[in-house]
Amino acid sequence: MNRTQKLSRCVHFVCLLFLMGGFVFAQSNSEADRLIEQALKASPIQQTLRHLTDEIGGRVPGTPAMERAVAWGSAAFKEAGADSVHTEDFKMPHSWAEGATVVNITSIGTATDAKLSSIPPVEFKIRAVSIAMGPAFTAKHLPVVDVGKGTSADFKKAGDISGKMILVHSDVLKAWADLFNEYADAPPVIDAAVKANAKAVAFIATREHDILYRHTNASAGEIEKLPMVIVAREDGERIGRLLASGHPVWADLSIPNKIGGPITASNVVAELRGNEKPEEFVILGAHLDSWELGTGALDNGCNAALVVDAFRTIKAAGLKPRRTIRFILFSGEEQGMMGSRAYAAAHRNELDKAAGVAVIDGGVGAVTGFTLGGRTDMAKAVTGIVAPLQQFKATTLTTDHIEWGTDHYDFLLEGVPTLVAVQDEGNYLENYHATSDTYDKVDFPQLKKHVAEMTVVTYGIANLPTRVGPRLTRAEIEKTFVDTHADEFMKKMGIWAEWESGKRGRAK
């Protein structure tokens, strides 16, 4: 994420079976039941994920681990019997890797307090990691100033921050809305810091218990404007208390990030050819890359393994869909959905034949339904497809907002029907991009349910006599932005300018 899947979810369109002529029209129960039964059977998914996480580990594009992950995905699809398997390369503007980030703090008593000023300085090392895609930086004795949560009023109260490191406070991450805020609130803070000539930014971690994680504000693989770190919550709040009690604080920073030029990354694509309309296709996707503090099990290794298992499920059930299904493991999602964006652009000329894109990117929290990208016109058809998932309580459809932050997004901007799994938080948020995102956090019985759910949805879209919805025109896409207020978020995140300029999304 960087999946806001990961975003606030408000009003839901409750999924009901639609009635016509007294009969319920839904996906063939026999086919859906066969897929569900097969998906819940024992499969190699645990061994598949263990190899990806424990033996390959964190997967950042441009690293040997990511190359091994691409080979892992290709081999898994071939072993499962895909009709074809290939990789599609795309360019990313930079390689990036963190060095050994070190942050040391010094604080002394105030000059007006004789007792405190006579006490030797307090010196301590804090736990910190660089923000992803941040520049390298070294500084000694950098003054630290607290800017609260970084609102305009907070900056005004803080005064002159030129040449200083600013400390930015945060709320503890408890719900999807909190993660949304972490992404949405950072850009204006960074812009204000740049404008006021701050030297560096220290964000207090949103996780408790000393958990560190990788965060990025990059939207297209670019290098950040300022050196930035995430500091352990307990350390950051200690610094805040020192400053609040009148103690000046200085920081020694060493952020030896390694930044390289353009790199080639790869998406893995496997196909199950349709038997009636093979030229039309449905995509089931998840991102294969991850940050490297942990081993990327919840984000998003479990769902990369799910995509492979969904392919196995359809093959083992002996079913052949009307349309072709493309099973895609995207790369570069964490740097700004780079792989899916590149794929959508490279295949723009055939997107009229894309019947739908389904993506899952929220760990193993229970699936409650699917968000339809603001499209009420899809609800009737999708209601029938998801009806067999009532046994999992995964039939709620959301049409009141547009999801952002995972690999369906550039297809949505192209007008293609999209579905993203809506999930409970589960254990996802605390472990998101964190040192603790490891294999042992995966609930495999729940993951197998997700295999069933995503397989039924994908096969259902591919096997409908007619499509779940048309490809929208540019004007129709923009109307969904305005109707769902997605345009406001897009402007805040800098996406609207890309849309208006035609740099991103459908041309007409």
Side-chain angles (χ1 to χ4, degrees):
M1 198 191 199
N2 39 54
R3 273 174 160 216
T4 2
Q5 57 270 24
K6 307 172 178 174
L7 286 187
S8 174
R9 295 173 169 92
C10 305
V11 181
H12 293 102
F13 179 92
V14 179
C15 177
L16 299 173
L17 292 177
F18 62 89
L19 301 177
M20 185 179 293
F23 294 96
V24 174
F25 286 82
Q27 180 176 187
S28 165
N29 279 337
S30 62
E31 291 181 339
D33 289 345
R34 283 170 66 183
L35 290 171
I36 292 169
E37 180 183 5
Q38 189 63 47
L40 297 179
K41 289 181 180 178
S43 77
I45 192 168
Q46 288 183 252
Q47 300 94 308
T48 300
L49 182 59
R50 190 197 61 75
H51 177 57
L52 179 64
T53 55
D54 286 349
E55 297 177 22
I56 294 176
R59 304 168 295 281
V60 179
T63 64
M66 191 67 219
E67 292 179 9
R68 291 195 296 272
V70 169
W72 165 92
S74 297
F77 282 126
K78 289 175 183 176
E79 184 180 346
D83 293 330
S84 66
V85 181
H86 67 279
T87 59
E88 296 194 17
D89 294 344
F90 62 95
K91 292 291 185 182
M92 295 180 63
H94 300 281
S95 65
W96 183 91
E98 184 180 26
T101 296
V102 177
V103 181
N104 289 310
I105 295 296
T106 302
S107 178
I108 60 172
T110 62
T112 55
D113 190 328
K115 291 181 181 179
L116 286 178
S117 61
S118 64
I119 297 174
V122 175
E123 297 178 342
F124 56 100
K125 180 179 179 180
I126 65 174
R127 282 179 48 77
V129 293
S130 173
I131 289 278
M133 310 308 293
F137 183 67
T138 301
K140 292 285 188 182
H141 216 59
L142 200 63
V144 181
V145 60
D146 194 322
V147 297
K149 290 188 176 179
T151 65
S152 297
D154 288 334
F155 272 104
K156 185 175 181 180
K157 181 179 178 181
D160 181 22
I161 63 171
S162 178
K164 301 174 183 177
M165 182 175 82
I166 62 170
L167 179 71
V168 184
H169 290 256
S170 66
D171 294 322
V172 175
L173 189 63
K174 293 181 178 178
W176 292 117
D178 300 323
L179 186 57
F180 165 81
N181 290 334
E182 188 168 3
Y183 277 102
D185 293 346
V189 173
I190 296 166
D191 289 343
V194 171
K195 185 176 180 180
N197 297 313
K199 284 289 187 181
V201 182
F203 290 96
I204 295 179
T206 58
R207 327 293 165 80
E208 297 176 302
H209 313 301
D210 211 28
I211 293 176
L212 291 172
Y213 56 95
R214 187 77 71 213
H215 190 75
T216 184
N217 302 296
S219 60
E222 73 275 17
I223 300 302
E224 297 275 15
K225 301 172 184 176
L226 281 176
M228 291 179 276
V229 292
I230 291 174
V231 301
R233 187 167 191 87
E234 292 76 8
D235 290 333
E237 292 186 336
R238 180 183 180 184
I239 295 169
R241 290 191 296 270
L242 286 168
L243 290 167
S245 60
H247 294 66
V249 175
W250 293 270
D252 293 344
L253 302 175
S254 176
I255 312 174
N257 293 336
K258 301 174 182 65
I259 298 169
I263 60 171
T264 299
S266 302
N267 297 320
V268 182
V269 184
E271 281 197 351
L272 178 63
R273 296 285 290 173
N275 64 357
E276 290 183 18
K277 301 179 179 181
E279 73 285 353
E280 295 184 11
F281 62 95
V282 176
I283 292 173
L284 173 60
H287 69 89
L288 180 57
D289 63 300
S290 76
W291 292 118
E292 81 300 351
L293 292 178
T295 59
L298 295 175
D299 189 18
N300 191 32
C302 63
N303 293 316
L306 175 154
V307 172
V308 176
D309 222 46
F311 183 94
R312 293 191 191 111
T313 296
I314 297 172
K315 290 284 285 188
L319 297 175
K320 192 82 169 177
R322 285 186 171 92
R323 297 174 184 84
T324 294
I325 301 176
R326 295 180 185 174
F327 300 80
I328 306 182
L329 303 179
F330 294 108
S331 183
E333 190 269 356
E334 298 292 4
Q335 290 75 19
M337 301 168 284
M338 299 292 289
S340 51
R341 180 173 179 174
Y343 189 91
H347 292 264
R348 184 169 284 140
N349 291 340
E350 63 171 340
L351 290 183
D352 283 341
K353 298 176 182 178
V357 175
V359 168
I360 182 166
D361 190 12
V364 290
V367 172
T368 59
F370 301 86
T371 178
L372 304 184
R375 293 187 56 170
T376 56
D377 65 301
M378 293 166 52
K380 185 176 181 180
V382 178
T383 294
I385 290 171
V386 302
L389 304 182
Q390 182 58 47
Q391 61 187 287
F392 303 121
K393 297 181 173 57
T395 57
T396 299
L397 303 183
T398 304
T399 61
D400 65 299
H401 77 274
I402 289 180
E403 193 85 356
W404 175 84
T406 192
D407 284 314
H408 75 296
Y409 192 69
D410 279 277
F411 296 99
L412 184 150
L413 295 180
E414 292 284 349
V416 177
T418 64
L419 295 86
V420 180
V422 177
Q423 297 176 253
D424 290 339
E425 290 89 347
N427 64 346
Y428 185 79
L429 292 177
E430 184 177 45
N431 300 301
Y432 174 70
H433 291 183
T435 53
S436 55
D437 184 7
T438 49
Y439 177 87
D440 54 288
K441 307 304 187 304
V442 177
D443 179 342
F444 281 98
Q446 186 65 53
L447 181 59
K448 291 291 284 181
K449 292 178 184 178
H450 294 179
V451 173
E453 292 154 355
M454 298 307 293
T455 303
V456 166
V457 166
T458 305
Y459 185 87
I461 297 171
N463 209 43
L464 277 182
T466 58
R467 297 192 189 188
V468 293
R471 185 183 181 193
L472 301 184
T473 65
R474 181 178 176 86
E476 290 169 334
I477 299 166
E478 188 159 319
K479 185 176 187 303
T480 65
F481 295 155
V482 175
D483 289 348
T484 59
H485 307 290
D487 57 328
E488 299 169 10
F489 171 77
M490 292 168 72
K491 289 169 185 175
K492 191 171 185 178
M493 298 298 290
I495 302 168
W496 191 256
E498 291 183 313
W499 169 260
E500 281 194 314
S501 69
K503 184 179 179 181
R504 199 168 185 179
R506 187 167 190 181
K508 56 185 177 178

